């Protein structure tokens, strides 16, 4: 297969996954945006985490809230739990890699805050531990996932929102996760700032 044909195949696969996701995910995206807006309006904050590419997505979302998305506004309270290398490595070294996010959630999270976890597989032990820690702090969770959800659905509680991309491909899931994050930013901006 020629490289150009392969690129077209990849673009087509991405477009198809996004089209498959549109109707399935519109309602949970809207519900997640409402949850985030409610937290921010009540002086809460949004904590985000994930591993690898999902860590980058968590940081991306946090920066869009804290700085700006597409319209001018005051910064919104958001913190990526993936960015402090000293904290991450000290927790991993002194305790366990599984606790790198949960210890931060327990220290920084409060009732009314929202934890956003991003995981393509739903199997990451440190993400699952972060969800449990958020529940201990009376926080709600927005979970971006994919595939069959893995173990993630079993640790979510009523009031939490899972946005599961209908795909088995990690790359396609990540592409849709980025679009979901931009949808959330757009909805948050329009709700808090207006058109």
């Amino acid at each position: 297969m020629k490289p150009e044909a392969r690129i077209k195949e990849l673009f087509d696969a991405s477009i198809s996954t996004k089209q498959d996701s549109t109707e399935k995910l519109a309602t949970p995206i809207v519900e997640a945006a409402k949850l985030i807006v409610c937290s921010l309006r009540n002086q809460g904050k949004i904590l985000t985490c994930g591993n690898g590419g999902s860590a980058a997505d968590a940081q991306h979302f946090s920066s869009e809230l804290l700085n700006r998305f597409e319209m001018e506004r005051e910064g919104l309270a958001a913190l990526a739990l993936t960015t402090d290398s000293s904290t991450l490595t000290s927790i991993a070294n002194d305790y366990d890699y599984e606790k790198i996010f949960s210890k931060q959630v327990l220290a920084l999270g409060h009732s009314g805050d929202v934890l956003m976890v991003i995981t393509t597989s739903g199997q990451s032990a440190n993400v699952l531990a972060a969800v449990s820690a958020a529940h201990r702090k009376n926080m709600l969770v927005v979970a971006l996932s994919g595939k069959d959800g893995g173990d993630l659905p079993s640790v979510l509680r009523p009031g939490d929102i899972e946005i599961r991309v209908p795909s088995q491909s990690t790359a396609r899931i990540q592409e849709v996760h980025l679009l979901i994050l931009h949808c959330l930013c757009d909805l948050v901006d329009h709700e808090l700032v207006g058109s």
Side-chain angles (χ1 to χ4, degrees), residues 36 38-46 76-78 110-114:
I36 291 166
C38 181
S39 175
L40 294 169
R41 280 191 170 144
N42 289 297
Q43 308 307 309
K45 62 186 170 296
I46 314 304
L76 303 172
H110 296 93
S111 178
D113 292 345
V114 171

Side-chain angles (χ1 to χ4, degrees), residues 57 118-119 144-145 165 173-181:
D57 286 343
I118 306 173
T119 170
L144 275 60
S145 67
V165 177
I173 294 165
Q174 289 175 327
E175 289 159 6
V176 177
H177 279 177
L178 181 57
L179 180 55
I180 291 166
L181 295 175

Side-chain angles (χ1 to χ4, degrees), residues 2-183:
K2 290 185 177 179
E4 291 83 0
R6 180 65 182 154
I7 289 169
K8 182 181 184 313
E9 194 175 84
L10 293 170
F11 267 76
D12 288 344
S14 183
I15 290 165
S16 176
T17 303
K18 288 173 181 160
Q19 288 175 327
D20 290 345
S21 299
T22 303
E23 288 193 29
K24 292 176 182 159
L25 302 184
T27 298
I29 292 170
V30 168
E31 293 304 313
K34 288 179 185 175
L35 205 158
I36 291 166
V37 167
C38 181
S39 175
L40 294 169
R41 280 191 170 144
N42 289 297
Q43 308 307 309
K45 62 186 170 296
I46 314 304
L47 304 179
T48 63
C49 66
N51 294 291
S54 296
D57 286 343
Q59 292 167 213
H60 182 136
F61 184 66
S62 176
S63 73
E64 302 281 29
L65 292 181
L66 190 56
N67 182 29
R68 65 184 293 274
F69 182 53
E70 291 189 324
M71 60 177 65
E72 292 300 326
R73 59 159 164 73
E74 295 293 320
L76 303 172
L79 177 65
L81 304 178
T82 55
T83 59
D84 183 344
S85 60
S86 296
T87 295
L88 294 172
T89 56
S90 69
I91 294 169
N93 183 62
D94 294 349
Y95 297 94
D96 189 291
Y97 189 76
E98 183 177 320
K99 296 182 179 180
I100 62 169
F101 301 136
S102 59
K103 284 188 69 72
Q104 293 185 76
V105 170
L106 292 172
L108 301 171
H110 296 93
S111 178
D113 292 345
V114 171
L115 174 67
M116 174 182 282
V117 298
I118 306 173
T119 170
T120 58
S121 68
Q123 296 292 98
S124 302
N126 57 9
V127 168
L128 299 173
V131 171
S132 296
H135 292 148
R136 284 179 55 192
K137 298 296 282 194
N138 198 30
M139 297 168 61
L140 292 174
V141 176
V142 172
L144 275 60
S145 67
K147 302 182 181 177
D148 65 357
D151 292 331
L152 184 63
S154 68
V155 299
L156 296 176
R157 290 185 177 169
D160 294 338
I161 298 166
E162 182 186 14
I163 306 172
R164 187 186 306 170
V165 177
S167 176
Q168 296 298 312
S169 166
T170 298
R172 301 297 81 79
I173 294 165
Q174 289 175 327
E175 289 159 6
V176 177
H177 279 177
L178 181 57
L179 180 55
I180 291 166
L181 295 175
H182 284 166
C183 289

